[in-house]
Every structure is written in structure tokens, then in C-alpha cells.
Amino acid sequence: MASRFVTAPASIADGWVLERLTPPSRLYGANGLATGPDGRLYVAQVGGSQVSAIDVDSGVIETISAMGGDIVAPDDLVFDEQGNLYLTEITEGRVCMRTPDGDVRVVQGDMPVANPITWHQGRLIAGECRVGARIMELDRDGGAPRVILDNVPMANAFQVGPDGKLYFPVMGANEIWRVDLAGGAPEVVAGDLGVPDSVKFDSKGRIVTTQAASGQVLQLDLVSGTREVLADLGPGLDNVSFIGDRIFVSSIPGEITELLGDGKVRPVVPRGLQWPLGLAVDAEGAVFVADGTFGYTLQPGGSLALAGMIFYPGCPGYMRGVVAGSQPGEWIVTTGMGGVARYRPVAGTSEFLGNGYDQLMGVDIAPGGAVIFADYGTGRILSAENGAVVELATGLDKPMGVAIAADGICYVAEAGAGRVVKLLGGKAEAVLEGLGRPEGLAITGGRLVTVDTATKTLLACDLSGRGREVLASGLPVGAPVGVRPKFLGPIGDMAGPMINFSAVAAGTDGTLYVSGDAEGSVLAIRAV
């Protein structure tokens, strides 16, 4: 299957085999959609800092703006009549314009959580997806914007309706509003929805709106007052665009679907994983996949069952690191907003063990039950136990993976220093040095295993660092060779910085599970 990440096949050491448990993703997620002058569907991908164009009939995908380029974290996009493309860069809090020749410049640089954008009769209108959001008309020549409406509880993808008013979803109110472009008080158009995150109009003047939480695509006829479910595609829907009268819908995990009518749909781009990030295996062999906005349980045969998502009750937030908890169905996760929580997806509950940290990554559980986790941003390793959090070590260089041995010694993958260390008396003692960027870390069968995303390798050694062995190389992890991804900052109060984390987890049978974050797959590496 075609992948967003092209690389040579991985090389596996003698006595080992590699299997992809999930297929590679074709996109780095799918957010805003816009139909281009060429009739192709353009899709914004926040997590990959990428814009792609899709021929919806052939399925061919072309990269228009690649990771590491001038456009950072694009969330929504729209074309004007001259073929200029305007994009909101959500983590940068700005709006940029890309000309047909590929030149990019900033149009507006002061829009925290910039998200929705539309073009109407020569007017560029953009908004913010945050509590207290502003919706503004922008001056393409750099003049001061004009505020149309402020104090909106999270506006999202919008469009001007047939009556000349701006219609927009209000995620915080679970409603659709409209407002005159000249300003004034907004009106509620529809409520009791499934967390709407886009409002677009079809050729007959009816609203088509995606629901992020319920997964429904609704059609609202404002004349008759009727409401119809066009499709039920599952949670995580994001945006809508039209090619003629054909309707296309995006889903955050990278899925593009055409609605054919009568509830029938056609996959244009299949759903995939955005990353994945943390992986964990419980005592029964269930694998939990932390994929940022989503958490999944990997089923036998490779199917992913949605366990939770950021809009679900009890979800602790953007999920990055994970380890199996002490009870069945319980997982300890670190979040993008700096929390560590005991998460029970089936019950829909979370219990926070610590909060307010910087950039949390890997997590493990010590033999006595303490939860040990790494703070990448501050260089600390912390321990949460009995309601208290204490520092185990400070001054580490971008710690990521954490693994606890049977004797309680804590091992840490120090990504910035290119080494694996063990903590003794609060001091870091090198175990494995000379690495590129070690991220995930696990202990199995008395051996340390780490993923090095710089060299694209999976390495193993004993707990003293001896017997170093490359188990696999050429893995689809980290950034593409030669690409330096731009830092993706937080998305308001929804997610902290989107820093990749390629994890490794070990099953009780010795199987090693690796986050193929470059291509969006879960890999299994087994001894034979």
C-alpha cells in the first residue's frame, strides 16, 4: 500500500522477523479541506505540517507543501479566485498565503489557535478555536484586522451562507451560530448536536456539518427545518468540501470519505494512525496505542478498536506515553498538557496522579507501584506515589523513554545526549552511549531495548550495556532523512506541543512492539 513515508525495506537481524500490525497511513491526519482550481481536494495536516492534493477518482496524492517547509501546522485552508491559497497555522497562531508559484507569506500573525478560514467576494475571514475566540476579517496587505465577533466558545470551520451571513460551529456550546459580516449579535441556528466542527453549504443552500464526537455528518435544511443524517463515520470528523455536488469529509486520523447518498460512502483515503506515539501491552496481551487525540486497542489481526478520544467523557486529553496499569482495562498515560493519569476507557474515567508539568513522554511502573515518568522539557524524571510527586533526577538532556528493571532501577533514554542511562542515587550513569536520538525504551528478558529515530534502528544490550546488537535497521521512525521538522507548539488548552515519540513495548512472549511514527504503523518484531 502507498505510504506517506517512502523508505527502503527494513533490515532485520538473523533470528528475528518484522510484521506490520497496521497498514501505513497515506496522510499525516486530515483536517481542513478545500477544492482547488484544478478540481483536486486539498487537505491540511496539522501533525505533519503538510498540505497535499488528492485526485479523488484515481486516489493519487501529491505533496504541495512538505514537512519542514514554510507552512507549519496547517489546520484549515481556502482558495481565492486567483488561485492563492490561505491557511491557518494553528500552533503558530497565524494565517499565511501561498501563491500559485509557491511563495508563502504571513497575512496575520496574532491569532491564537487560528483555525477556521473562508473567502467570500474578495473578503478573507478567519477565526480562532479557543474559549473567547475572535472571528475577524483580515487585510491581506498587513493592515489591522476587523473583529466581526468575539468571545466565541471555540469557533471552527465556517462559510458564508446564501443570505450573506457567516455560519459557524461553536464547539463549546454544541451549536451552530450565524452573524452578520458587519458584526452585531449572533443567532443560534441549531443545537443539540454531536460537537460540530464544520459548517459548509451545498449547492441547494443546505448546511452540511461534521460532528467531531458523534461521528455523524448532518444535513440541515434551514427552510424546512429538517435534519438528516447523511452518514455515520465514527468519531473524529473534521471538515467538509464539495466537488460539484459530490460531498467529501475529512477525519482527524487521516481519512477522506465521499458520501454517495442513502447512507452509502466510498473511502478515498482509508483511516490510519497519525503517529503513533506510546505503546503498552497488558498481562493478557492487549496492546494500547496512544495516538495523540485518540487511544486505540490493537485487536488480533491488526484491527484498531477506538478506546477513547479527546472529546470522550473521562479522556485525560492528548495521549502520548502509556503503560499498562495494575487492573485489567487500566492504562497509565502521560498527556500533551503535562498530566499523568490513570485512565479506564471502558468506564470513561481518569484519575490524575500529577499535573502541570512541561512536556511529558515515557512512563513506567516500579515494582512497588510508583509511577515513573519523564519530563522532556525540563529534563526531570519524576515519581508519583500515594498522592505525592517527587523528583528522581534532574538535569537530563531531553529524556523520553523510561523503563524500570525488576530490581527497581530506573533506565532512561536521553534523546538529547544520545545515550541510555540508569539512575543511581539521583545521578545518571551511562549504560549505552554513541546513539543518535534514543526515544522508546523497554526491558525484556533482562535486556534493554531502545528505538533510535536518528539512525532508524532498534538496538538491544544487557542491563550493563554489554552485548550491543542491532535488531532492526531502516525502520520507519522519526523524521524523513534530511528533513528537520518545525516545532509544533500547543493548541490552546486542547493539546501541548506535538512532539513525536517512537515507543517500544515488550509483550510477555518477548514480542517487541514499535511505533512506526514516520509512516503511521505499529510494528511487531519477534524472535524466531
Side-chain angles (χ1 to χ4, degrees), residues 179-447:
V179 68
D180 195 288
L181 293 182
E187 306 171 71
V188 177
V189 173
D192 190 25
L193 301 166
V195 187
D197 54 354
S198 71
V199 170
K200 301 292 177 68
F201 284 87
D202 67 14
S203 63
K204 296 181 180 179
R206 298 169 300 193
I207 288 175
V208 177
T209 172
T210 52
Q211 312 301 299
S214 72
Q216 292 182 332
V217 184
L218 303 178
Q219 182 186 84
L220 310 180
D221 189 322
L222 300 181
V223 176
S224 66
T226 58
R227 179 183 299 192
E228 180 184 351
V229 177
L230 298 181
D232 194 338
L233 302 175
L237 299 187
D238 199 307
N239 217 313
V240 178
S241 192
F242 302 90
I243 300 177
D245 286 330
R246 298 168 70 182
I247 305 173
F248 297 87
V249 174
S250 65
S251 184
I252 295 170
E255 184 176 30
I256 307 294
T257 304
E258 181 178 7
L259 309 189
L260 302 177
D262 297 324
K264 298 177 181 178
V265 300
R266 179 180 74 91
V268 178
V269 178
R271 178 172 291 224
L273 292 167
Q274 284 189 276
W275 313 112
L277 302 168
L279 301 174
V281 189
D282 69 11
E284 283 72 45
V287 179
F288 188 92
V289 182
D291 199 36
T293 307
F294 298 83
Y296 300 94
T297 302
L298 185 61
Q299 307 295 308
S303 63
L304 291 166
L306 183 62
M309 68 168 293
I310 202 167
F311 295 116
Y312 272 17
C315 180
Y318 184 95
M319 293 170 276
R320 187 182 285 125
V322 61
V323 66
S326 58
Q327 302 297 320
E330 175 184 279
W331 308 93
I332 310 297
V333 299
T334 60
T335 76
M337 292 303 293
V340 57
R342 197 181 308 276
Y343 182 34
R344 301 177 180 90
V346 174
T349 61
S350 289
E351 172 195 351
F352 277 89
L353 310 177
N355 227 326
Y357 299 99
D358 190 27
Q359 298 167 35
L360 299 188
M361 296 290 167
V363 59
D364 203 357
I365 300 177
V371 174
I372 314 298
F373 55 101
D375 191 333
Y376 177 90
T378 63
R380 297 186 297 168
I381 303 298
L382 302 117
S383 172
E385 187 175 21
N386 299 325
V389 178
V390 298
E391 290 180 346
L392 296 184
T394 61
L396 298 180
D397 191 352
K398 296 181 173 57
M400 297 192 84
V402 174
I404 313 298
D407 59 5
I409 293 179
C410 178
Y411 293 79
V412 180
E414 206 175 352
R419 64 179 189 170
V420 175
V421 300
K422 63 181 178 181
L423 305 182
L424 297 173
K427 303 295 183 181
E429 179 181 305
V431 173
L432 193 61
E433 297 185 280
L435 307 178
R437 184 179 170 84
E439 296 190 6
L441 190 65
I443 295 175
T444 179
R447 303 184 81 197

Side-chain angles (χ1 to χ4, degrees), residues 108 110-112 123-128 130 132-139 143-152 155 158 166 168 179-186:
Q108 173 66 32
D110 179 23
M111 288 195 69
R123 304 167 75 172
L124 181 63
I125 301 165
E128 301 163 341
R130 63 184 179 100
R134 300 171 296 172
I135 297 174
M136 301 186 289
E137 181 176 353
L138 306 184
D139 183 342
R146 179 181 66 86
V147 176
I148 296 172
L149 185 66
D150 60 7
N151 292 318
V152 178
F158 49 41
L166 182 70
F168 53 99
V179 68
D180 195 288
L181 293 182

Side-chain angles (χ1 to χ4, degrees), residues 24-46:
S25 302
R26 299 199 68 199
L27 297 169
Y28 290 94
N31 304 106
L33 291 179
T35 301
D38 56 6
R40 293 187 297 176
L41 197 63
Y42 285 68
V43 55
Q45 299 148 72
V46 172

